[in-house]
Amino acid sequence: MPLGLSACTGPLSTLDPAGPAAASSAGLWWVMLGGATVLALLVFALLALVYLRPGVGARVRGRDWVVYGGLVMPVVVLTALVGYALFAGERLLAHPDENVPRVAARGEMWVWRFSYPDHPGAGETDVLHIPAGQAVDVLVTSSDVVHSFWVPRLAGKIDAIPGHENVVRIKADRPGAYNGVCAEFCGMGHTDMRFMVVAHDPADYEAFMAGGAQ
């Protein structure tokens, strides 16, 4: 178990969240794992019972096995899981909000370019700078082929599509540096299409932007 859990941490781990969107995704993963575990344990228990006590299942009518084991139980468990998934997914949507600052991310073979619509004086950067403790809308697009913007510890994936702008809302709970990748195969240089998100203390962020973000 400790060896298996060692893979749950690291700079690209979705199970080591550093923001509310990533925490919601991680929570959904754990809930789904719990539901799958319950179903698996129940199946294993039934198999063990039949193996240890041959003929015990003969007392139950075949129709009851189908109705309760094949329909009722999965419907109850899966309905609960789907309900939670819809609730968690709703929290990940970037609903329009004029008070949320914006940054722009443009993917191209095989780098990311970042700009800052709310800070016209800031230049383009290859590192994404955001304020810590504040939600930020990332306007994601592409210059050539389909890419995918993903910062596992801050939010889920979103496609970067040529001629179209998608929005993903991210938030870093605290200052720090967070790794991001392109999660859509986009050619020979795909594996090198990595980037960094730096979350600044809010006061430092404003000063950094005022200085041109270079």
Side-chain angles (χ1 to χ4, degrees):
M1 179 64 75
L3 181 60
L5 292 177
S6 66
C8 297
T9 60
L12 294 175
S13 174
T14 58
L15 300 182
D16 185 20
S24 183
S25 296
L28 177 59
W29 187 90
W30 285 110
V31 169
M32 290 293 184
L33 177 64
T37 301
V38 169
L39 288 175
L41 289 177
L42 182 56
V43 170
F44 293 151
L46 290 174
L47 287 174
L49 182 63
V50 171
Y51 178 77
L52 295 174
R53 298 182 62 184
V56 66
R59 303 175 188 174
V60 181
R61 294 183 303 171
R63 181 184 176 186
D64 290 339
W65 280 114
V66 173
V67 171
Y68 295 105
L71 293 176
V72 174
M73 182 189 67
V75 166
V76 171
V77 174
L78 294 177
T79 298
L81 292 177
V82 169
Y84 182 81
L86 292 174
F87 170 75
E90 175 66 21
R91 298 175 61 190
L92 299 178
L93 297 178
H95 296 292
D97 187 341
E98 295 181 354
N99 297 319
V100 176
R102 302 170 300 157
V103 298
R106 187 181 77 255
E108 59 185 57
M109 295 178 178
W110 284 279
V111 295
W112 290 93
R113 309 290 186 189
F114 304 105
S115 56
Y116 306 87
D118 296 339
H119 296 85
E124 191 175 77
T125 63
D126 56 5
V127 173
L128 177 56
H129 299 275
I130 63 172
Q134 184 175 4
V136 176
D137 280 347
V138 184
L139 316 180
V140 182
T141 189
S142 169
S143 299
D144 36 51
V145 300
V146 175
H147 302 284
S148 183
F149 178 91
W150 189 29
V151 188
R153 297 188 63 207
L154 297 183
K157 308 171 187 176
I158 197 161
D159 282 344
I161 302 172
H164 180 76
E165 193 173 80
N166 285 326
V167 182
V168 60
R169 184 165 294 168
I170 66 175
K171 178 182 178 181
D173 290 333
R174 54 192 177 277
Y178 304 94
N179 293 67
V181 296
C182 174
E184 182 83 19
F185 181 73
C186 53
M188 297 298 293
H190 166 70
T191 55
D192 296 323
M193 197 171 173
R194 297 170 175 264
F195 62 95
M196 187 72 69
V197 178
V198 175
H200 301 260
D201 180 87
D204 295 339
Y205 178 75
E206 292 301 325
F208 183 76
M209 287 293 109
Q214 296 296 328

Short mmCIF file of all heavy atoms in Angstrom, two decimals, residues 9 19 29 38 58 63 82 102 113 118 120 127 145 149 155 186-187 193:
data_model
loop_
_atom_site.label_atom_id
_atom_site.label_comp_id
_atom_site.label_asym_id
_atom_site.label_seq_id
_atom_site.Cartn_x
_atom_site.Cartn_y
_atom_site.Cartn_z
N THR A 9 1.65 11.44 -5.31
CA THR A 9 2.23 12.75 -5.08
C THR A 9 3.14 13.10 -6.25
O THR A 9 3.37 12.29 -7.13
CB THR A 9 3.04 12.77 -3.77
OG1 THR A 9 4.11 11.81 -3.86
CG2 THR A 9 2.16 12.44 -2.58
N GLY A 19 -5.40 23.53 -5.20
CA GLY A 19 -6.44 24.50 -5.49
C GLY A 19 -7.79 23.83 -5.44
O GLY A 19 -7.90 22.59 -5.50
N TRP A 29 -12.36 11.44 -7.71
CA TRP A 29 -11.60 10.21 -7.94
C TRP A 29 -11.70 9.27 -6.74
O TRP A 29 -11.93 8.07 -6.89
CB TRP A 29 -10.14 10.56 -8.20
CG TRP A 29 -9.30 9.39 -8.61
CD1 TRP A 29 -9.06 8.94 -9.86
CD2 TRP A 29 -8.58 8.49 -7.73
NE1 TRP A 29 -8.25 7.83 -9.85
CE2 TRP A 29 -7.93 7.53 -8.55
CE3 TRP A 29 -8.42 8.42 -6.34
CZ2 TRP A 29 -7.15 6.52 -8.02
CZ3 TRP A 29 -7.64 7.40 -5.82
CH2 TRP A 29 -7.02 6.46 -6.64
N VAL A 38 -16.45 -0.93 -3.11
CA VAL A 38 -17.63 -1.54 -2.49
C VAL A 38 -18.20 -2.63 -3.39
O VAL A 38 -18.50 -3.74 -2.94
CB VAL A 38 -18.70 -0.47 -2.19
CG1 VAL A 38 -20.02 -1.14 -1.79
CG2 VAL A 38 -18.23 0.45 -1.07
N ALA A 58 -28.24 -21.73 -4.38
CA ALA A 58 -29.42 -22.41 -4.93
C ALA A 58 -30.69 -22.02 -4.19
O ALA A 58 -31.80 -22.22 -4.69
CB ALA A 58 -29.21 -23.92 -4.88
N ARG A 63 -34.18 -15.43 -10.81
CA ARG A 63 -34.73 -14.10 -11.09
C ARG A 63 -34.29 -13.09 -10.05
O ARG A 63 -34.01 -11.95 -10.36
CB ARG A 63 -36.25 -14.20 -11.14
CG ARG A 63 -36.92 -12.86 -11.44
CD ARG A 63 -38.43 -12.97 -11.39
NE ARG A 63 -39.05 -11.67 -11.58
CZ ARG A 63 -40.36 -11.43 -11.46
NH1 ARG A 63 -41.17 -12.43 -11.16
NH2 ARG A 63 -40.84 -10.23 -11.66
N VAL A 82 -23.02 8.92 -9.91
CA VAL A 82 -23.30 9.89 -10.97
C VAL A 82 -23.79 11.21 -10.37
O VAL A 82 -23.40 12.30 -10.83
CB VAL A 82 -24.34 9.33 -11.97
CG1 VAL A 82 -24.83 10.41 -12.91
CG2 VAL A 82 -23.74 8.18 -12.76
N ARG A 102 -8.31 37.75 -15.84
CA ARG A 102 -8.10 36.87 -16.98
C ARG A 102 -6.62 36.84 -17.38
O ARG A 102 -5.91 37.84 -17.27
CB ARG A 102 -8.92 37.36 -18.18
CG ARG A 102 -10.41 37.45 -17.94
CD ARG A 102 -11.08 38.17 -19.10
NE ARG A 102 -10.52 39.53 -19.24
CZ ARG A 102 -10.54 40.24 -20.37
NH1 ARG A 102 -11.09 39.71 -21.46
NH2 ARG A 102 -10.01 41.45 -20.42
N ARG A 113 2.44 30.17 -24.97
CA ARG A 113 2.66 31.60 -24.85
C ARG A 113 1.54 32.18 -23.97
O ARG A 113 0.36 31.87 -24.17
CB ARG A 113 2.62 32.29 -26.21
CG ARG A 113 3.53 31.66 -27.26
CD ARG A 113 4.99 31.89 -26.96
NE ARG A 113 5.84 31.39 -28.05
CZ ARG A 113 7.15 31.30 -27.98
NH1 ARG A 113 7.78 31.67 -26.87
NH2 ARG A 113 7.86 30.84 -29.00
N ASP A 118 -5.80 41.84 -18.82
CA ASP A 118 -6.12 42.83 -17.80
C ASP A 118 -4.93 43.72 -17.44
O ASP A 118 -5.06 44.64 -16.64
CB ASP A 118 -6.63 42.14 -16.53
CG ASP A 118 -7.95 41.41 -16.78
OD1 ASP A 118 -8.64 41.76 -17.75
OD2 ASP A 118 -8.28 40.49 -16.00
N PRO A 120 -2.45 45.48 -19.86
CA PRO A 120 -1.97 45.77 -21.22
C PRO A 120 -0.47 46.03 -21.31
O PRO A 120 0.14 45.78 -22.35
CB PRO A 120 -2.77 47.03 -21.61
CG PRO A 120 -3.99 46.98 -20.74
CD PRO A 120 -3.54 46.39 -19.45
N VAL A 127 6.12 31.60 -19.07
CA VAL A 127 5.71 31.13 -17.75
C VAL A 127 4.42 31.85 -17.40
O VAL A 127 4.31 33.06 -17.58
CB VAL A 127 6.79 31.43 -16.68
CG1 VAL A 127 6.27 31.08 -15.29
CG2 VAL A 127 8.07 30.66 -16.97
N VAL A 145 -2.47 23.29 -34.20
CA VAL A 145 -3.27 22.07 -34.04
C VAL A 145 -3.91 22.07 -32.66
O VAL A 145 -3.71 22.98 -31.86
CB VAL A 145 -2.38 20.81 -34.22
CG1 VAL A 145 -1.75 20.80 -35.59
CG2 VAL A 145 -1.30 20.75 -33.13
N PHE A 149 -4.49 22.13 -22.44
CA PHE A 149 -3.89 22.86 -21.32
C PHE A 149 -4.24 22.14 -20.03
O PHE A 149 -5.40 21.92 -19.72
CB PHE A 149 -4.46 24.28 -21.31
CG PHE A 149 -3.97 25.14 -20.17
CD1 PHE A 149 -2.84 25.93 -20.33
CD2 PHE A 149 -4.65 25.19 -18.97
CE1 PHE A 149 -2.40 26.74 -19.29
CE2 PHE A 149 -4.23 26.00 -17.93
CZ PHE A 149 -3.09 26.77 -18.09
N ALA A 155 -6.14 22.39 -11.72
CA ALA A 155 -7.43 22.26 -12.40
C ALA A 155 -7.38 21.11 -13.39
O ALA A 155 -6.33 20.50 -13.62
CB ALA A 155 -7.79 23.56 -13.13
N CYS A 186 0.30 16.14 -30.02
CA CYS A 186 0.27 17.20 -31.02
C CYS A 186 1.48 17.16 -31.95
O CYS A 186 1.77 18.14 -32.64
CB CYS A 186 0.18 18.57 -30.34
SG CYS A 186 1.47 18.86 -29.09
N GLY A 187 2.21 16.05 -31.98
CA GLY A 187 3.34 15.95 -32.88
C GLY A 187 4.59 15.48 -32.16
O GLY A 187 4.57 15.11 -30.99
N MET A 193 6.35 19.78 -24.46
CA MET A 193 5.46 20.95 -24.38
C MET A 193 4.97 21.13 -22.94
O MET A 193 3.79 21.00 -22.63
CB MET A 193 4.29 20.80 -25.35
CG MET A 193 3.57 22.10 -25.63
SD MET A 193 2.37 21.89 -26.98
CE MET A 193 1.56 23.49 -26.92
#
